[in-house]
């Protein structure tokens, strides 16, 4: 079967000759296809008033029958006739109501046909019974009764002929009536023949009706589909339709075109199309330079002519059109389509912009900066004036990005771009190379003072805190600077050298600027080799963990050890942690190394007494790892070390990107039961704010405040006192780092610091030594009394009075400020003594610290070490035995 229309919304229309069987059964079938169902509904809709027509005919015929009745008619006779007539009229009304309401109740067409078949059968039988009862009871003339019966048949046939099932039912009723009740063979034959002809005629007209109906539906469906295509095309915004008449005035326009003119489509109809448009001459093709009026007047087809509205709007269209002629060749006008090129033109401009500018910060991108640098170098060659290049890298930006997310990182980059542009001003052009790398080209700027000033200001401005969506973010910047000689420098060399200078600036501790030096090439190569070796250091067993004791300040008992990583290179020897730890952070190795240190330290701590803790440093990169708490908990479980014995030391770098993730990590670590210590306190940003919110158990006072704290020339003691008071108020312990002298130790104790760590109690030592110290429980303080000028190393004998008793003492490490005194008698700190040095004379001082068998004394005034120098005597002169001769003999 040929199908001229494809399936759309389950609609298939068949245009073939309808068979008699199909015509006979079509109205009784439940149609599932949309087109066939639509055709069936239309056929049923044509019968809407058929029951009411039958009702009117029945009413007229019934009235005629009652008019014919004779006076002797009994009530029973009237009932015999009236009941069938009433049944017939009631069914007429019911069927009529159904035909008016079937759509509302969503009745299927085949159900309506079935009900109508039953309706015709009932009304036919009822009308026949009424007619037969009228004749048998002689209520009317027999001929009139026959006429009434035949009239009822023909009345139903008028309705039934439109659908074969109804015609068949009507014929069956007529056939039965003539067989059962007709006594006139001629009339019976005529009625039966007529009924059969009605069935045949009904089938024939239904065949033609179905064929014609399907044809109409096909045309309607095609028209509807075409209209849908037009609507979808216009509504998609990809184009619109237009049409003009023979005079060039618009006869149809799409709404999209009217919207561009900010009016209704009707307002454009009747206006000349060329008056509304102007040709875009931006293209170089000959076709687009021809005016639209030329095409229209010449009645030539055209395509892709770019036009604009005859206004100031930034809108572009591409028009295509064809002339329309009727069958006689008369010109009717043009019909065509238009395409909006506005977004395409904008996209082209945006693509051109993105090729030169960074989409996030709107700064010139890498390609544009390279072009700027090339132009600056060419101009420098002409003007014989150099050109400077800044390479700028943001410090700790990755920490912000990983902690607070990329949207915060993007917003931070935009603010950084604004600050860089503001600082650079008219001195040069700033651009973004990608990630957190920026570049600045400064044509003609070769003054070292100016470049240094710009670099310092740039770093200072970038390092100021940022507020982004409620988060306080602090980062830094490092700057590498190179100056290109006019006529000799190449762009590639400048970029490479600026990178080396930037690398040196970051290696100098970040937040610095550095000018390029030729030696940086070898340093960069050396750094790369060192990084490659560091990647394999763990597998090769080159890394080790040393442990430095942390002592209770009050009684010199061991509180714990701090684990410190050391690297013994096979050819270079020991590598300083200050050199390879920053390298590990930059190379992304700190996480792996940090976890190895943690695991190794816990394994060693398992051999210590249960009261001895181990402190492990946690880098900001490790802290910002969402799985850090899981990692710590796993190693605690594997080694069996109690969580309370592990102390994680965290620097203020973890707070540079404050957010919910930081608080969440703190909460997870505290939930494990580990202790948290704030390392290098007082050297970062807004430390008091961190103490307010972070759950630290200990504050480690940076060694920059501890060393030389006993000196009266600085304010370190006051700072330490303030930190201790703050920590005690917050319920935290304190630990002084870098204690090396007895004076500093004594002061630390007097200021109330909880714990001490430094060379005075021991340098970082291997695991075996640390295990022995841990089992010994206490460590004695060793080292110098204080930090002073160079000391006199030889021992001197002296006499002093202690508690009224004159005793001999020995002085060691004598400086201009004090000395260490060996004495069997105990003294108390704070006491004042007069010490008579043999061969030198008396010196007064105050006891600053005291231990078993020795104490430290600070002289009241400056002591001249020259007084201890040996004196030259005449040859052969007998000299008394002096201390220096004792030392000399011992030395020999």
């Amino acid at each position: 079967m040929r199908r001229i229309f494809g399936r759309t919304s389950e609609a298939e229309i068949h245009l073939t000759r309808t068979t008699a069987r199909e015509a006979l059964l079509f109205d009784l079938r439940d149609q599932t296809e949309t087109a066939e169902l639509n055709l069936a509904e239309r056929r049923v809709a044509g019968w809407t008033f058929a029951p009411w027509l039958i009702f009117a005919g029945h009413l007229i015929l019934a009235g005629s029958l009652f008019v014919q009745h004779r006076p002797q008619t009994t009530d029973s006779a009237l009932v015999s006739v009236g009941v069938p007539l009433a049944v017939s009229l009631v069914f007429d009304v019911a069927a009529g109501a159904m035909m008016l309401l079937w759509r509302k109740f969503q009745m299927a067409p085949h159900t309506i046909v079935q009900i109508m078949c039953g309706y015709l059968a009932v009304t036919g039988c009822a009308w026949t019974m009424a007619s037969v009862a009228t004749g048998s009871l002689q209520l009317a003339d027999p001929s009139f009764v026959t006429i009434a019966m035949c009239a009822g048949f023909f009345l139903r046939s008028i309705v039934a002929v439109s659908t074969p099932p109804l015609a068949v039912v009507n014929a069956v009723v007529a056939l039965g009536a003539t067989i059962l009740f007709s006594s006139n063979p001629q009339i019976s034959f005529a009625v039966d023949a007529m009924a059969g002809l009605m069935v045949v005629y009904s089938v024939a007209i239904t065949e033609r009706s179905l064929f014609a109906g399907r044809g109409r539906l096909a045309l309607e469906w095609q028209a509807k589909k075409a209209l849908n295509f037009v609507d979808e095309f216009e509504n998609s915004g990809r184009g619109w339709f237009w049409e003009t008449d023979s005079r060039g005035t618009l006869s149809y326009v799409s709404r999209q075109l009217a919207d561009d003119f900010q009016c209704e489509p009707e307002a454009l109809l009747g206006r000349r199309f060329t008056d509304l448009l102007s040709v875009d001459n931006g293209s170089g093709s000959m076709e687009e330079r021809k005016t639209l009026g030329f095409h229209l007047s010449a009645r030539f087809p055209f395509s892709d002519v770019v036009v604009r509205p005859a206004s100031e709007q930034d809108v572009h269209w591409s028009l295509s059109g064809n002339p329309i002629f009727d069958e006689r060749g008369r010109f009717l006008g043009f019909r065509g389509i238009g395409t909006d090129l506005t977004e395409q033109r904008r996209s082209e401009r945006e693509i051109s912009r993105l090729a030169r500018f960074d989409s996030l910060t709107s700064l010139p991108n890498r390609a544009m900066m390279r072009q700027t640098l090339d132009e600056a170098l060419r101009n420098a060659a002409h003007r014989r004036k150099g050109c400077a290049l800044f390479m700028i890298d943001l410090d700790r930006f990755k920490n912000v990005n990983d902690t607070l997310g990329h949207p915060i990182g993007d917003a931070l980059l935009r603010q950084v771009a604004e600050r860089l542009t503001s600082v650079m001003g008219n001195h040069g052009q700033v651009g973004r190379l990608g990630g957190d790398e920026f570049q600045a080209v400064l044509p003609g700027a070769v003054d070292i003072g100016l470049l240094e000033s710009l670099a310092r200001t740039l770093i200072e401005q970038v390092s100021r805190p940022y507020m982004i969506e409620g988060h306080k973010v602090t980062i830094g910047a490092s700057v590498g600077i190179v100056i290109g000689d006019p006529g000799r420098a190449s762009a590639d060399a400048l970029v490479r050298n600026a990178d080396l200078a930037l690398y040196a600036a970051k290696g100098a501790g970040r937040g610095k600027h550095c000018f390029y030096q030729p030696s940086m090439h070898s340093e960069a190569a050396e750094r790369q080799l060192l990084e490659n070796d560091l990647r394999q250091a763990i597998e090769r067993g080159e890394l080790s963990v040393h442990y430095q004791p942390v002592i209770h300040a009050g009684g010199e008992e061991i509180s714990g050890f701090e684990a410190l990583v050391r690297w013994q290179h096979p050819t270079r020897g020991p590598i300083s942690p200050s050199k390879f730890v920053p390298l590990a952070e930059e190379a992304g190795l700190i996480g792996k190394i940090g976890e190895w240190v943690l695991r190794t330290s816990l394994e060693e701590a398992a051999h210590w007494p249960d009261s001895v803790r181990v402190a492990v440093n946690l880098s900001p990169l490790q802290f910002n790892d969402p799985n850090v708490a899981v990692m710590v908990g796993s190693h605690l479980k594997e080694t069996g070390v109690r969580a309370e014995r592990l102390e994680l030391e965290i620097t203020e770098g973890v707070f540079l990107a404050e957010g919910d993730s930081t608080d969440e990590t703190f909460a997870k670590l505290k939930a494990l039961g580990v202790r948290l210590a704030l390392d290098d306190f007082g050297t970062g940003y807004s430390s008091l704010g961190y103490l307010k919110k972070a759950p630290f158990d200990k504050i480690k006072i940076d060694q920059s405040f501890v060393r030389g704290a006993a000196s009266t020339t600085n304010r370190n003691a006051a700072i330490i006192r303030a930190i201790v008071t703050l920590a005690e108020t917050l319920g935290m312990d304190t630990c002084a780092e870098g204690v090396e002298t007895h004076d500093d130790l004594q002061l630390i104790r007097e200021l109330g610091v909880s714990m001490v760590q430094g060379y005075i109690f021991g340098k970082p030592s291997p695991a075996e030594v640390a295990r022995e110290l841990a089992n010994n429980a206490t460590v004695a303080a060793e080292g110098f009394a204080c930090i002073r000028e160079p000391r006199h190393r030889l021992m001197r004998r002296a006499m002093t009075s202690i508690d009224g008793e004159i005793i001999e003492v020995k002085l060691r490490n004598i400086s201009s400020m004090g000395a260490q005194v060996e004495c069997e008698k105990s003294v108390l700190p704070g006491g004042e003594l007069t010490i008579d040095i043999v061969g030198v004379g008396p010196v007064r001082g105050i006891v600053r610290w005291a231990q078993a068998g020795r104490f430290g004394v600070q002289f009241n005034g400056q002591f001249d070490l020259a007084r201890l120098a040996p004196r030259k005597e005449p040859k052969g002169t007998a000299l008394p035995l002096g201390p220096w001769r004792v030392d000399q003999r011992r030395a020999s």
Side-chain angles (χ1 to χ4, degrees), residues 29-108:
R29 288 175 176 166
D30 183 8
Q31 305 295 341
T32 57
E33 296 181 356
T34 302
E36 298 292 272
L37 179 61
N38 191 10
L39 183 59
E41 289 178 345
R42 292 189 179 190
R43 289 176 56 78
V44 170
W47 313 333
T48 300
F49 299 104
W52 297 107
L53 178 61
I54 296 174
F55 172 74
H58 283 169
L59 199 60
I60 294 172
L61 292 174
S64 301
L65 286 176
F66 280 101
V67 169
Q68 293 290 325
H69 82 278
R70 297 186 170 94
Q72 66 273 19
T73 302
T74 62
D75 293 339
S76 61
L78 290 174
V79 170
S80 299
V81 175
V83 170
L85 288 176
V87 170
S88 178
L89 294 174
V90 168
F91 270 80
D92 288 340
V93 173
M98 178 193 69
M99 291 306 298
L100 293 175
L101 300 174
W102 68 278
R103 289 185 185 275
K104 181 177 180 180
F105 293 103
Q106 299 180 349
M107 299 177 68

Side-chain angles (χ1 to χ4, degrees), residues 691 694-699 724 727-734 754:
L691 294 179
F696 288 111
D697 300 286
K698 179 193 288 187
I699 296 175
V724 171
E728 290 178 348
T729 304
L730 296 175
M732 302 178 185
D733 294 332
T734 50
S754 310

Side-chain angles (χ1 to χ4, degrees), residues 704-719 743-744 747 786-789 817 848 858 862:
S704 61
F705 298 117
V706 175
R707 288 177 179 170
S711 174
T712 58
T713 61
N714 59 51
R715 302 178 180 178
N716 290 3
I719 295 175
D743 279 4
D744 290 341
L747 179 63
C786 56
I787 299 177
R788 295 294 186 267
E789 292 88 357
M817 299 299 294
R848 287 300 185 187
Q858 179 182 353
Q862 191 89 2

Side-chain angles (χ1 to χ4, degrees), residues 556 742 745 749 760-761 780-782 821 823 825-827 829 849-856:
E556 298 187 352
H742 287 276
L745 176 61
R749 287 169 169 165
I760 193 169
F761 286 110
E782 297 180 352
V821 181
C823 176
K825 194 173 182 64
S826 62
V827 297
W849 58 271
Q851 293 180 356
R854 57 185 175 174
F855 61 88

